[in-house]
Amino acid sequence: MSVIRDKITELLSMKSYPEKLFYDGNLELLKRTKISIVGSRKPTQYSRTQIQKLSSLLSKNGVCIVSGGAMGVDALSHSGAGASNTIAVLPCGIDVRYPAINKNLLEDIAKDGLLLSQFDAGFKATPWSFVVRNELVVALGDALVVGEADIDSGTMRSIEFALKMKKEIFVLPQRLGESEGTNKLLKDGKAKAIYDMDEFVAMFSTTLKGKNSSIVEDDFLLYCSKNPTYEEAMKKYQNRVFEAELNGEIKVVNGVVIRLT
């Protein structure tokens, strides 16, 4: 665990600059174009699939993902981006793996990505420390994506920070009666809907700006587009097959992998 000594320009938009900022991992990620992603700890299957797809596309096209290391949308954002291209901001000490269910994910990020915290080693998360964490998550990003949120959820506090910082807010288009917080943002004109992921990624991708390059898709999903056998897919992408099937990105029919997204 070390302390960041130099000022981080993005954090000057916070109400007050952090007195201390601890880190573990690769500080070079702070120099990248960054998108903050927040949302429900219990997202719908639709939100799970779309957030993981979006974070993966952004990551593969040069954008670093920032989130809060929590369950649900946070964990999906980090895992979709890959540990080496994500920043997790913690509501606890940098040495505390919270929540415990994300221990392995946070360990991978500490090794290959970047963990940040405003709290001393050993500090346990409290209700107010989540609010502090949320402000830092929002400040780091060039824009904020809200995957899913109820009107009275903690995620809406992150939106308040984004509005004060004059950050652009983007949301997934959702069905009526679901994610009423993000639907209200759209109704009130405070957010824009992501109707085309490729267009959204191109807005922020450093690898695409000024070039005629096309969006880089997920290698695994491209592979699945060719309808490989389940056995072939397991040999080549064992760790991804189960996750993709669980998230509704693929299904297996008669021993053949079918891509759904």
Side-chain angles (χ1 to χ4, degrees), residues 21-24 67-70 78 87-99 102 106 109-110 114-119 123 125 129-130 132-134 136-137:
L21 190 57
F22 301 99
Y23 79 94
D24 192 1
S67 198
H78 293 308
I87 299 171
V89 184
L90 307 180
C92 52
I94 206 86
D95 59 328
V96 179
R97 297 297 177 252
Y98 176 87
N102 286 348
L106 295 172
I109 295 173
L114 180 63
L115 297 181
L116 293 177
S117 173
Q118 295 184 62
F119 307 104
F123 179 85
S129 71
F130 286 103
V132 172
R133 183 275 308 275
N134 292 348
L136 188 58
V137 168

PDB file of all heavy atoms in Angstrom, residues 21-24 67-70 78 87-99 102 106 109-110 114-119 123 125 129-130 132-134 136-137:
ATOM      1  N   LEU A  21      -4.795   9.614  -0.301  1.00  0.00           N
ATOM      2  CA  LEU A  21      -5.309   8.697  -1.302  1.00  0.00           C
ATOM      3  C   LEU A  21      -4.332   7.535  -1.431  1.00  0.00           C
ATOM      4  O   LEU A  21      -3.213   7.703  -1.928  1.00  0.00           O
ATOM      5  CB  LEU A  21      -5.478   9.409  -2.646  1.00  0.00           C
ATOM      6  CG  LEU A  21      -6.235   8.636  -3.736  1.00  0.00           C
ATOM      7  CD1 LEU A  21      -7.623   8.235  -3.245  1.00  0.00           C
ATOM      8  CD2 LEU A  21      -6.363   9.474  -4.995  1.00  0.00           C
ATOM      9  N   PHE A  22      -4.757   6.383  -0.939  1.00  0.00           N
ATOM     10  CA  PHE A  22      -3.910   5.192  -0.957  1.00  0.00           C
ATOM     11  C   PHE A  22      -4.161   4.400  -2.237  1.00  0.00           C
ATOM     12  O   PHE A  22      -5.255   4.437  -2.801  1.00  0.00           O
ATOM     13  CB  PHE A  22      -4.216   4.318   0.256  1.00  0.00           C
ATOM     14  CG  PHE A  22      -4.009   5.013   1.575  1.00  0.00           C
ATOM     15  CD1 PHE A  22      -5.091   5.546   2.269  1.00  0.00           C
ATOM     16  CD2 PHE A  22      -2.736   5.143   2.113  1.00  0.00           C
ATOM     17  CE1 PHE A  22      -4.913   6.189   3.482  1.00  0.00           C
ATOM     18  CE2 PHE A  22      -2.536   5.786   3.327  1.00  0.00           C
ATOM     19  CZ  PHE A  22      -3.626   6.313   4.012  1.00  0.00           C
ATOM     20  N   TYR A  23      -3.146   3.661  -2.655  1.00  0.00           N
ATOM     21  CA  TYR A  23      -3.319   2.852  -3.855  1.00  0.00           C
ATOM     22  C   TYR A  23      -2.532   1.556  -3.780  1.00  0.00           C
ATOM     23  O   TYR A  23      -1.571   1.428  -3.024  1.00  0.00           O
ATOM     24  CB  TYR A  23      -2.901   3.630  -5.102  1.00  0.00           C
ATOM     25  CG  TYR A  23      -1.397   3.706  -5.338  1.00  0.00           C
ATOM     26  CD1 TYR A  23      -0.753   2.784  -6.167  1.00  0.00           C
ATOM     27  CD2 TYR A  23      -0.627   4.684  -4.720  1.00  0.00           C
ATOM     28  CE1 TYR A  23       0.620   2.858  -6.387  1.00  0.00           C
ATOM     29  CE2 TYR A  23       0.737   4.765  -4.933  1.00  0.00           C
ATOM     30  CZ  TYR A  23       1.362   3.844  -5.766  1.00  0.00           C
ATOM     31  OH  TYR A  23       2.718   3.906  -5.972  1.00  0.00           O
ATOM     32  N   ASP A  24      -2.960   0.619  -4.595  1.00  0.00           N
ATOM     33  CA  ASP A  24      -2.250  -0.641  -4.784  1.00  0.00           C
ATOM     34  C   ASP A  24      -2.451  -1.030  -6.236  1.00  0.00           C
ATOM     35  O   ASP A  24      -3.587  -1.236  -6.677  1.00  0.00           O
ATOM     36  CB  ASP A  24      -2.816  -1.721  -3.857  1.00  0.00           C
ATOM     37  CG  ASP A  24      -1.935  -2.968  -3.798  1.00  0.00           C
ATOM     38  OD1 ASP A  24      -0.883  -2.983  -4.466  1.00  0.00           O
ATOM     39  OD2 ASP A  24      -2.301  -3.906  -3.071  1.00  0.00           O
ATOM     40  N   SER A  67     -15.103   1.756 -11.109  1.00  0.00           N
ATOM     41  CA  SER A  67     -16.312   1.424 -10.365  1.00  0.00           C
ATOM     42  C   SER A  67     -15.947   1.215  -8.899  1.00  0.00           C
ATOM     43  O   SER A  67     -14.797   1.414  -8.504  1.00  0.00           O
ATOM     44  CB  SER A  67     -17.000   0.190 -10.963  1.00  0.00           C
ATOM     45  OG  SER A  67     -18.344   0.110 -10.519  1.00  0.00           O
ATOM     46  N   GLY A  68     -16.928   0.787  -8.094  1.00  0.00           N
ATOM     47  CA  GLY A  68     -16.749   0.771  -6.654  1.00  0.00           C
ATOM     48  C   GLY A  68     -16.448  -0.560  -6.008  1.00  0.00           C
ATOM     49  O   GLY A  68     -16.472  -0.655  -4.774  1.00  0.00           O
ATOM     50  N   GLY A  69     -16.203  -1.608  -6.797  1.00  0.00           N
ATOM     51  CA  GLY A  69     -15.808  -2.886  -6.232  1.00  0.00           C
ATOM     52  C   GLY A  69     -16.908  -3.648  -5.522  1.00  0.00           C
ATOM     53  O   GLY A  69     -16.647  -4.677  -4.898  1.00  0.00           O
ATOM     54  N   ALA A  70     -18.149  -3.171  -5.593  1.00  0.00           N
ATOM     55  CA  ALA A  70     -19.257  -3.818  -4.891  1.00  0.00           C
ATOM     56  C   ALA A  70     -19.840  -4.960  -5.724  1.00  0.00           C
ATOM     57  O   ALA A  70     -19.380  -5.244  -6.833  1.00  0.00           O
ATOM     58  CB  ALA A  70     -20.340  -2.788  -4.572  1.00  0.00           C
ATOM     59  N   HIS A  78     -16.135  -4.325 -13.573  1.00  0.00           N
ATOM     60  CA  HIS A  78     -14.719  -4.678 -13.404  1.00  0.00           C
ATOM     61  C   HIS A  78     -14.359  -5.945 -14.180  1.00  0.00           C
ATOM     62  O   HIS A  78     -13.346  -5.993 -14.878  1.00  0.00           O
ATOM     63  CB  HIS A  78     -14.402  -4.887 -11.923  1.00  0.00           C
ATOM     64  CG  HIS A  78     -14.483  -3.660 -11.080  1.00  0.00           C
ATOM     65  ND1 HIS A  78     -13.828  -2.491 -11.407  1.00  0.00           N
ATOM     66  CD2 HIS A  78     -15.136  -3.416  -9.906  1.00  0.00           C
ATOM     67  CE1 HIS A  78     -14.074  -1.584 -10.462  1.00  0.00           C
ATOM     68  NE2 HIS A  78     -14.867  -2.121  -9.561  1.00  0.00           N
ATOM     69  N   ILE A  87     -10.216   0.259 -12.536  1.00  0.00           N
ATOM     70  CA  ILE A  87      -9.881   0.894 -11.261  1.00  0.00           C
ATOM     71  C   ILE A  87     -11.040   0.674 -10.306  1.00  0.00           C
ATOM     72  O   ILE A  87     -12.178   1.025 -10.614  1.00  0.00           O
ATOM     73  CB  ILE A  87      -9.650   2.410 -11.428  1.00  0.00           C
ATOM     74  CG1 ILE A  87      -8.484   2.674 -12.388  1.00  0.00           C
ATOM     75  CG2 ILE A  87      -9.373   3.065 -10.067  1.00  0.00           C
ATOM     76  CD1 ILE A  87      -8.324   4.137 -12.764  1.00  0.00           C
ATOM     77  N   ALA A  88     -10.745   0.066  -9.147  1.00  0.00           N
ATOM     78  CA  ALA A  88     -11.762  -0.156  -8.128  1.00  0.00           C
ATOM     79  C   ALA A  88     -11.518   0.805  -6.967  1.00  0.00           C
ATOM     80  O   ALA A  88     -10.436   0.819  -6.390  1.00  0.00           O
ATOM     81  CB  ALA A  88     -11.727  -1.598  -7.629  1.00  0.00           C
ATOM     82  N   VAL A  89     -12.522   1.615  -6.664  1.00  0.00           N
ATOM     83  CA  VAL A  89     -12.424   2.567  -5.551  1.00  0.00           C
ATOM     84  C   VAL A  89     -13.147   1.948  -4.348  1.00  0.00           C
ATOM     85  O   VAL A  89     -14.328   1.597  -4.459  1.00  0.00           O
ATOM     86  CB  VAL A  89     -13.057   3.920  -5.918  1.00  0.00           C
ATOM     87  CG1 VAL A  89     -12.859   4.914  -4.773  1.00  0.00           C
ATOM     88  CG2 VAL A  89     -12.441   4.466  -7.204  1.00  0.00           C
ATOM     89  N   LEU A  90     -12.452   1.832  -3.237  1.00  0.00           N
ATOM     90  CA  LEU A  90     -12.985   1.092  -2.094  1.00  0.00           C
ATOM     91  C   LEU A  90     -13.567   1.996  -1.005  1.00  0.00           C
ATOM     92  O   LEU A  90     -13.065   3.094  -0.776  1.00  0.00           O
ATOM     93  CB  LEU A  90     -11.877   0.230  -1.490  1.00  0.00           C
ATOM     94  CG  LEU A  90     -11.136  -0.701  -2.464  1.00  0.00           C
ATOM     95  CD1 LEU A  90     -10.065  -1.488  -1.714  1.00  0.00           C
ATOM     96  CD2 LEU A  90     -12.112  -1.651  -3.147  1.00  0.00           C
ATOM     97  N   PRO A  91     -14.594   1.491  -0.279  1.00  0.00           N
ATOM     98  CA  PRO A  91     -15.171   2.231   0.846  1.00  0.00           C
ATOM     99  C   PRO A  91     -14.515   1.833   2.166  1.00  0.00           C
ATOM    100  O   PRO A  91     -15.040   2.120   3.237  1.00  0.00           O
ATOM    101  CB  PRO A  91     -16.638   1.778   0.820  1.00  0.00           C
ATOM    102  CG  PRO A  91     -16.540   0.345   0.385  1.00  0.00           C
ATOM    103  CD  PRO A  91     -15.384   0.289  -0.595  1.00  0.00           C
ATOM    104  N   CYS A  92     -13.384   1.166   2.070  1.00  0.00           N
ATOM    105  CA  CYS A  92     -12.683   0.613   3.223  1.00  0.00           C
ATOM    106  C   CYS A  92     -11.175   0.773   2.995  1.00  0.00           C
ATOM    107  O   CYS A  92     -10.753   1.339   1.984  1.00  0.00           O
ATOM    108  CB  CYS A  92     -13.033  -0.867   3.389  1.00  0.00           C
ATOM    109  SG  CYS A  92     -12.811  -1.833   1.872  1.00  0.00           S
ATOM    110  N   GLY A  93     -10.379   0.264   3.933  1.00  0.00           N
ATOM    111  CA  GLY A  93      -8.936   0.314   3.761  1.00  0.00           C
ATOM    112  C   GLY A  93      -8.497  -0.477   2.538  1.00  0.00           C
ATOM    113  O   GLY A  93      -9.164  -1.437   2.143  1.00  0.00           O
ATOM    114  N   ILE A  94      -7.385  -0.081   1.947  1.00  0.00           N
ATOM    115  CA  ILE A  94      -6.916  -0.713   0.717  1.00  0.00           C
ATOM    116  C   ILE A  94      -6.584  -2.187   0.919  1.00  0.00           C
ATOM    117  O   ILE A  94      -6.579  -2.982  -0.027  1.00  0.00           O
ATOM    118  CB  ILE A  94      -5.677   0.059   0.174  1.00  0.00           C
ATOM    119  CG1 ILE A  94      -5.551  -0.110  -1.358  1.00  0.00           C
ATOM    120  CG2 ILE A  94      -4.392  -0.394   0.852  1.00  0.00           C
ATOM    121  CD1 ILE A  94      -6.351   0.864  -2.129  1.00  0.00           C
ATOM    122  N   ASP A  95      -6.352  -2.579   2.165  1.00  0.00           N
ATOM    123  CA  ASP A  95      -5.993  -3.956   2.476  1.00  0.00           C
ATOM    124  C   ASP A  95      -7.205  -4.817   2.814  1.00  0.00           C
ATOM    125  O   ASP A  95      -7.076  -6.026   3.020  1.00  0.00           O
ATOM    126  CB  ASP A  95      -5.015  -3.994   3.652  1.00  0.00           C
ATOM    127  CG  ASP A  95      -5.591  -3.348   4.902  1.00  0.00           C
ATOM    128  OD1 ASP A  95      -6.376  -2.393   4.767  1.00  0.00           O
ATOM    129  OD2 ASP A  95      -5.236  -3.789   6.011  1.00  0.00           O
ATOM    130  N   VAL A  96      -8.383  -4.217   2.884  1.00  0.00           N
ATOM    131  CA  VAL A  96      -9.595  -4.950   3.239  1.00  0.00           C
ATOM    132  C   VAL A  96     -10.300  -5.399   1.970  1.00  0.00           C
ATOM    133  O   VAL A  96     -10.592  -4.582   1.094  1.00  0.00           O
ATOM    134  CB  VAL A  96     -10.549  -4.072   4.082  1.00  0.00           C
ATOM    135  CG1 VAL A  96     -11.825  -4.848   4.413  1.00  0.00           C
ATOM    136  CG2 VAL A  96      -9.851  -3.610   5.349  1.00  0.00           C
ATOM    137  N   ARG A  97     -10.573  -6.674   1.870  1.00  0.00           N
ATOM    138  CA  ARG A  97     -11.260  -7.198   0.686  1.00  0.00           C
ATOM    139  C   ARG A  97     -12.753  -7.244   0.969  1.00  0.00           C
ATOM    140  O   ARG A  97     -13.279  -8.198   1.528  1.00  0.00           O
ATOM    141  CB  ARG A  97     -10.711  -8.587   0.326  1.00  0.00           C
ATOM    142  CG  ARG A  97      -9.250  -8.579  -0.062  1.00  0.00           C
ATOM    143  CD  ARG A  97      -9.036  -7.749  -1.320  1.00  0.00           C
ATOM    144  NE  ARG A  97      -7.639  -7.645  -1.712  1.00  0.00           N
ATOM    145  CZ  ARG A  97      -6.913  -6.552  -1.588  1.00  0.00           C
ATOM    146  NH1 ARG A  97      -7.448  -5.448  -1.074  1.00  0.00           N
ATOM    147  NH2 ARG A  97      -5.661  -6.519  -1.981  1.00  0.00           N
ATOM    148  N   TYR A  98     -13.421  -6.156   0.594  1.00  0.00           N
ATOM    149  CA  TYR A  98     -14.851  -6.024   0.861  1.00  0.00           C
ATOM    150  C   TYR A  98     -15.578  -5.644  -0.417  1.00  0.00           C
ATOM    151  O   TYR A  98     -15.115  -4.739  -1.128  1.00  0.00           O
ATOM    152  CB  TYR A  98     -15.085  -4.936   1.921  1.00  0.00           C
ATOM    153  CG  TYR A  98     -16.545  -4.668   2.172  1.00  0.00           C
ATOM    154  CD1 TYR A  98     -17.250  -5.417   3.105  1.00  0.00           C
ATOM    155  CD2 TYR A  98     -17.222  -3.683   1.447  1.00  0.00           C
ATOM    156  CE1 TYR A  98     -18.606  -5.180   3.317  1.00  0.00           C
ATOM    157  CE2 TYR A  98     -18.582  -3.454   1.654  1.00  0.00           C
ATOM    158  CZ  TYR A  98     -19.259  -4.202   2.593  1.00  0.00           C
ATOM    159  OH  TYR A  98     -20.590  -3.977   2.786  1.00  0.00           O
ATOM    160  N   PRO A  99     -16.694  -6.316  -0.727  1.00  0.00           N
ATOM    161  CA  PRO A  99     -17.282  -7.434  -0.003  1.00  0.00           C
ATOM    162  C   PRO A  99     -16.482  -8.722  -0.204  1.00  0.00           C
ATOM    163  O   PRO A  99     -15.796  -8.878  -1.222  1.00  0.00           O
ATOM    164  CB  PRO A  99     -18.680  -7.552  -0.611  1.00  0.00           C
ATOM    165  CG  PRO A  99     -18.498  -7.053  -2.017  1.00  0.00           C
ATOM    166  CD  PRO A  99     -17.492  -5.948  -1.921  1.00  0.00           C
ATOM    167  N   ASN A 102     -16.260 -10.689  -3.427  1.00  0.00           N
ATOM    168  CA  ASN A 102     -15.441 -10.176  -4.528  1.00  0.00           C
ATOM    169  C   ASN A 102     -13.941 -10.256  -4.229  1.00  0.00           C
ATOM    170  O   ASN A 102     -13.143  -9.608  -4.910  1.00  0.00           O
ATOM    171  CB  ASN A 102     -15.805  -8.718  -4.820  1.00  0.00           C
ATOM    172  CG  ASN A 102     -17.140  -8.592  -5.525  1.00  0.00           C
ATOM    173  OD1 ASN A 102     -17.698  -9.576  -5.997  1.00  0.00           O
ATOM    174  ND2 ASN A 102     -17.675  -7.386  -5.571  1.00  0.00           N
ATOM    175  N   LEU A 106     -10.994  -8.522  -6.470  1.00  0.00           N
ATOM    176  CA  LEU A 106     -10.198  -7.412  -5.945  1.00  0.00           C
ATOM    177  C   LEU A 106      -8.720  -7.757  -5.876  1.00  0.00           C
ATOM    178  O   LEU A 106      -7.859  -6.898  -6.107  1.00  0.00           O
ATOM    179  CB  LEU A 106     -10.721  -7.008  -4.565  1.00  0.00           C
ATOM    180  CG  LEU A 106     -12.143  -6.423  -4.556  1.00  0.00           C
ATOM    181  CD1 LEU A 106     -12.637  -6.236  -3.131  1.00  0.00           C
ATOM    182  CD2 LEU A 106     -12.190  -5.100  -5.317  1.00  0.00           C
ATOM    183  N   ILE A 109      -7.419  -7.286  -9.336  1.00  0.00           N
ATOM    184  CA  ILE A 109      -7.286  -5.870  -9.671  1.00  0.00           C
ATOM    185  C   ILE A 109      -6.059  -5.274  -8.986  1.00  0.00           C
ATOM    186  O   ILE A 109      -5.335  -4.466  -9.576  1.00  0.00           O
ATOM    187  CB  ILE A 109      -8.563  -5.101  -9.290  1.00  0.00           C
ATOM    188  CG1 ILE A 109      -9.744  -5.589 -10.143  1.00  0.00           C
ATOM    189  CG2 ILE A 109      -8.375  -3.594  -9.499  1.00  0.00           C
ATOM    190  CD1 ILE A 109     -11.089  -5.011  -9.731  1.00  0.00           C
ATOM    191  N   ALA A 110      -5.820  -5.667  -7.732  1.00  0.00           N
ATOM    192  CA  ALA A 110      -4.632  -5.175  -7.015  1.00  0.00           C
ATOM    193  C   ALA A 110      -3.353  -5.598  -7.730  1.00  0.00           C
ATOM    194  O   ALA A 110      -2.370  -4.852  -7.779  1.00  0.00           O
ATOM    195  CB  ALA A 110      -4.630  -5.700  -5.583  1.00  0.00           C
ATOM    196  N   LEU A 114      -5.847  -1.399 -10.635  1.00  0.00           N
ATOM    197  CA  LEU A 114      -5.568  -0.378  -9.617  1.00  0.00           C
ATOM    198  C   LEU A 114      -6.681  -0.320  -8.584  1.00  0.00           C
ATOM    199  O   LEU A 114      -7.860  -0.201  -8.926  1.00  0.00           O
ATOM    200  CB  LEU A 114      -5.420   0.988 -10.286  1.00  0.00           C
ATOM    201  CG  LEU A 114      -5.127   2.184  -9.368  1.00  0.00           C
ATOM    202  CD1 LEU A 114      -3.779   2.017  -8.667  1.00  0.00           C
ATOM    203  CD2 LEU A 114      -5.157   3.486 -10.161  1.00  0.00           C
ATOM    204  N   LEU A 115      -6.294  -0.403  -7.308  1.00  0.00           N
ATOM    205  CA  LEU A 115      -7.201  -0.171  -6.193  1.00  0.00           C
ATOM    206  C   LEU A 115      -6.914   1.203  -5.616  1.00  0.00           C
ATOM    207  O   LEU A 115      -5.750   1.575  -5.450  1.00  0.00           O
ATOM    208  CB  LEU A 115      -7.006  -1.217  -5.088  1.00  0.00           C
ATOM    209  CG  LEU A 115      -7.300  -2.676  -5.399  1.00  0.00           C
ATOM    210  CD1 LEU A 115      -7.052  -3.524  -4.151  1.00  0.00           C
ATOM    211  CD2 LEU A 115      -8.735  -2.867  -5.887  1.00  0.00           C
ATOM    212  N   LEU A 116      -7.963   1.952  -5.280  1.00  0.00           N
ATOM    213  CA  LEU A 116      -7.815   3.261  -4.652  1.00  0.00           C
ATOM    214  C   LEU A 116      -8.682   3.319  -3.401  1.00  0.00           C
ATOM    215  O   LEU A 116      -9.767   2.719  -3.352  1.00  0.00           O
ATOM    216  CB  LEU A 116      -8.251   4.381  -5.600  1.00  0.00           C
ATOM    217  CG  LEU A 116      -7.427   4.636  -6.856  1.00  0.00           C
ATOM    218  CD1 LEU A 116      -8.073   5.744  -7.681  1.00  0.00           C
ATOM    219  CD2 LEU A 116      -6.001   5.003  -6.512  1.00  0.00           C
ATOM    220  N   SER A 117      -8.223   4.065  -2.395  1.00  0.00           N
ATOM    221  CA  SER A 117      -9.018   4.257  -1.182  1.00  0.00           C
ATOM    222  C   SER A 117      -8.575   5.530  -0.475  1.00  0.00           C
ATOM    223  O   SER A 117      -7.401   5.879  -0.474  1.00  0.00           O
ATOM    224  CB  SER A 117      -8.853   3.070  -0.228  1.00  0.00           C
ATOM    225  OG  SER A 117      -9.487   3.334   1.009  1.00  0.00           O
ATOM    226  N   GLN A 118      -9.537   6.200   0.145  1.00  0.00           N
ATOM    227  CA  GLN A 118      -9.230   7.376   0.952  1.00  0.00           C
ATOM    228  C   GLN A 118      -9.064   7.015   2.428  1.00  0.00           C
ATOM    229  O   GLN A 118      -8.861   7.888   3.262  1.00  0.00           O
ATOM    230  CB  GLN A 118     -10.354   8.414   0.817  1.00  0.00           C
ATOM    231  CG  GLN A 118     -10.496   8.985  -0.583  1.00  0.00           C
ATOM    232  CD  GLN A 118     -11.551  10.068  -0.644  1.00  0.00           C
ATOM    233  OE1 GLN A 118     -11.444  11.103   0.004  1.00  0.00           O
ATOM    234  NE2 GLN A 118     -12.596   9.824  -1.421  1.00  0.00           N
ATOM    235  N   PHE A 119      -9.135   5.715   2.741  1.00  0.00           N
ATOM    236  CA  PHE A 119      -9.165   5.287   4.132  1.00  0.00           C
ATOM    237  C   PHE A 119      -7.907   4.525   4.540  1.00  0.00           C
ATOM    238  O   PHE A 119      -7.323   3.788   3.743  1.00  0.00           O
ATOM    239  CB  PHE A 119     -10.414   4.432   4.364  1.00  0.00           C
ATOM    240  CG  PHE A 119     -11.673   5.121   3.924  1.00  0.00           C
ATOM    241  CD1 PHE A 119     -12.301   4.767   2.739  1.00  0.00           C
ATOM    242  CD2 PHE A 119     -12.204   6.161   4.669  1.00  0.00           C
ATOM    243  CE1 PHE A 119     -13.446   5.411   2.314  1.00  0.00           C
ATOM    244  CE2 PHE A 119     -13.352   6.821   4.255  1.00  0.00           C
ATOM    245  CZ  PHE A 119     -13.973   6.455   3.074  1.00  0.00           C
ATOM    246  N   PHE A 123      -9.368  -0.035   7.872  1.00  0.00           N
ATOM    247  CA  PHE A 123     -10.646   0.644   8.059  1.00  0.00           C
ATOM    248  C   PHE A 123     -11.777  -0.195   7.460  1.00  0.00           C
ATOM    249  O   PHE A 123     -11.703  -0.635   6.315  1.00  0.00           O
ATOM    250  CB  PHE A 123     -10.611   2.020   7.390  1.00  0.00           C
ATOM    251  CG  PHE A 123     -11.889   2.797   7.504  1.00  0.00           C
ATOM    252  CD1 PHE A 123     -12.147   3.558   8.636  1.00  0.00           C
ATOM    253  CD2 PHE A 123     -12.844   2.759   6.501  1.00  0.00           C
ATOM    254  CE1 PHE A 123     -13.340   4.275   8.760  1.00  0.00           C
ATOM    255  CE2 PHE A 123     -14.025   3.470   6.607  1.00  0.00           C
ATOM    256  CZ  PHE A 123     -14.272   4.230   7.744  1.00  0.00           C
ATOM    257  N   ALA A 125     -15.706  -0.678   6.157  1.00  0.00           N
ATOM    258  CA  ALA A 125     -16.704   0.152   5.476  1.00  0.00           C
ATOM    259  C   ALA A 125     -17.850   0.534   6.399  1.00  0.00           C
ATOM    260  O   ALA A 125     -18.313  -0.269   7.222  1.00  0.00           O
ATOM    261  CB  ALA A 125     -17.250  -0.594   4.259  1.00  0.00           C
ATOM    262  N   SER A 129     -18.854   6.018   4.512  1.00  0.00           N
ATOM    263  CA  SER A 129     -17.669   5.807   3.659  1.00  0.00           C
ATOM    264  C   SER A 129     -18.059   5.413   2.241  1.00  0.00           C
ATOM    265  O   SER A 129     -17.312   5.632   1.294  1.00  0.00           O
ATOM    266  CB  SER A 129     -16.729   4.764   4.267  1.00  0.00           C
ATOM    267  OG  SER A 129     -17.254   3.451   4.194  1.00  0.00           O
ATOM    268  N   PHE A 130     -19.267   4.832   2.077  1.00  0.00           N
ATOM    269  CA  PHE A 130     -19.743   4.524   0.725  1.00  0.00           C
ATOM    270  C   PHE A 130     -20.013   5.810  -0.046  1.00  0.00           C
ATOM    271  O   PHE A 130     -19.756   5.889  -1.244  1.00  0.00           O
ATOM    272  CB  PHE A 130     -21.022   3.678   0.791  1.00  0.00           C
ATOM    273  CG  PHE A 130     -20.791   2.253   1.188  1.00  0.00           C
ATOM    274  CD1 PHE A 130     -21.071   1.826   2.469  1.00  0.00           C
ATOM    275  CD2 PHE A 130     -20.277   1.330   0.285  1.00  0.00           C
ATOM    276  CE1 PHE A 130     -20.860   0.513   2.852  1.00  0.00           C
ATOM    277  CE2 PHE A 130     -20.053   0.016   0.645  1.00  0.00           C
ATOM    278  CZ  PHE A 130     -20.351  -0.394   1.942  1.00  0.00           C
ATOM    279  N   VAL A 132     -18.477   8.686   0.425  1.00  0.00           N
ATOM    280  CA  VAL A 132     -17.154   9.223   0.094  1.00  0.00           C
ATOM    281  C   VAL A 132     -16.588   8.490  -1.121  1.00  0.00           C
ATOM    282  O   VAL A 132     -16.051   9.103  -2.053  1.00  0.00           O
ATOM    283  CB  VAL A 132     -16.199   9.084   1.302  1.00  0.00           C
ATOM    284  CG1 VAL A 132     -14.774   9.466   0.910  1.00  0.00           C
ATOM    285  CG2 VAL A 132     -16.676   9.954   2.466  1.00  0.00           C
ATOM    286  N   ARG A 133     -16.728   7.160  -1.106  1.00  0.00           N
ATOM    287  CA  ARG A 133     -16.257   6.344  -2.233  1.00  0.00           C
ATOM    288  C   ARG A 133     -16.953   6.724  -3.522  1.00  0.00           C
ATOM    289  O   ARG A 133     -16.318   6.852  -4.590  1.00  0.00           O
ATOM    290  CB  ARG A 133     -16.500   4.867  -1.894  1.00  0.00           C
ATOM    291  CG  ARG A 133     -16.008   3.826  -2.913  1.00  0.00           C
ATOM    292  CD  ARG A 133     -16.992   3.556  -4.021  1.00  0.00           C
ATOM    293  NE  ARG A 133     -18.333   3.224  -3.592  1.00  0.00           N
ATOM    294  CZ  ARG A 133     -18.751   2.007  -3.253  1.00  0.00           C
ATOM    295  NH1 ARG A 133     -17.931   0.994  -3.283  1.00  0.00           N
ATOM    296  NH2 ARG A 133     -20.017   1.811  -2.898  1.00  0.00           N
ATOM    297  N   ASN A 134     -18.272   6.923  -3.445  1.00  0.00           N
ATOM    298  CA  ASN A 134     -19.055   7.234  -4.646  1.00  0.00           C
ATOM    299  C   ASN A 134     -18.599   8.530  -5.314  1.00  0.00           C
ATOM    300  O   ASN A 134     -18.545   8.621  -6.544  1.00  0.00           O
ATOM    301  CB  ASN A 134     -20.534   7.329  -4.298  1.00  0.00           C
ATOM    302  CG  ASN A 134     -21.130   5.991  -3.912  1.00  0.00           C
ATOM    303  OD1 ASN A 134     -20.506   4.949  -4.117  1.00  0.00           O
ATOM    304  ND2 ASN A 134     -22.323   6.021  -3.342  1.00  0.00           N
ATOM    305  N   LEU A 136     -15.639   9.830  -5.314  1.00  0.00           N
ATOM    306  CA  LEU A 136     -14.361   9.586  -5.973  1.00  0.00           C
ATOM    307  C   LEU A 136     -14.541   8.811  -7.275  1.00  0.00           C
ATOM    308  O   LEU A 136     -13.907   9.114  -8.288  1.00  0.00           O
ATOM    309  CB  LEU A 136     -13.424   8.829  -5.024  1.00  0.00           C
ATOM    310  CG  LEU A 136     -11.976   8.634  -5.468  1.00  0.00           C
ATOM    311  CD1 LEU A 136     -11.303   9.972  -5.741  1.00  0.00           C
ATOM    312  CD2 LEU A 136     -11.202   7.864  -4.403  1.00  0.00           C
ATOM    313  N   VAL A 137     -15.435   7.824  -7.264  1.00  0.00           N
ATOM    314  CA  VAL A 137     -15.726   7.051  -8.477  1.00  0.00           C
ATOM    315  C   VAL A 137     -16.204   7.973  -9.586  1.00  0.00           C
ATOM    316  O   VAL A 137     -15.728   7.914 -10.728  1.00  0.00           O
ATOM    317  CB  VAL A 137     -16.792   5.961  -8.202  1.00  0.00           C
ATOM    318  CG1 VAL A 137     -17.305   5.362  -9.515  1.00  0.00           C
ATOM    319  CG2 VAL A 137     -16.224   4.859  -7.329  1.00  0.00           C
TER     320      VAL A 137
END
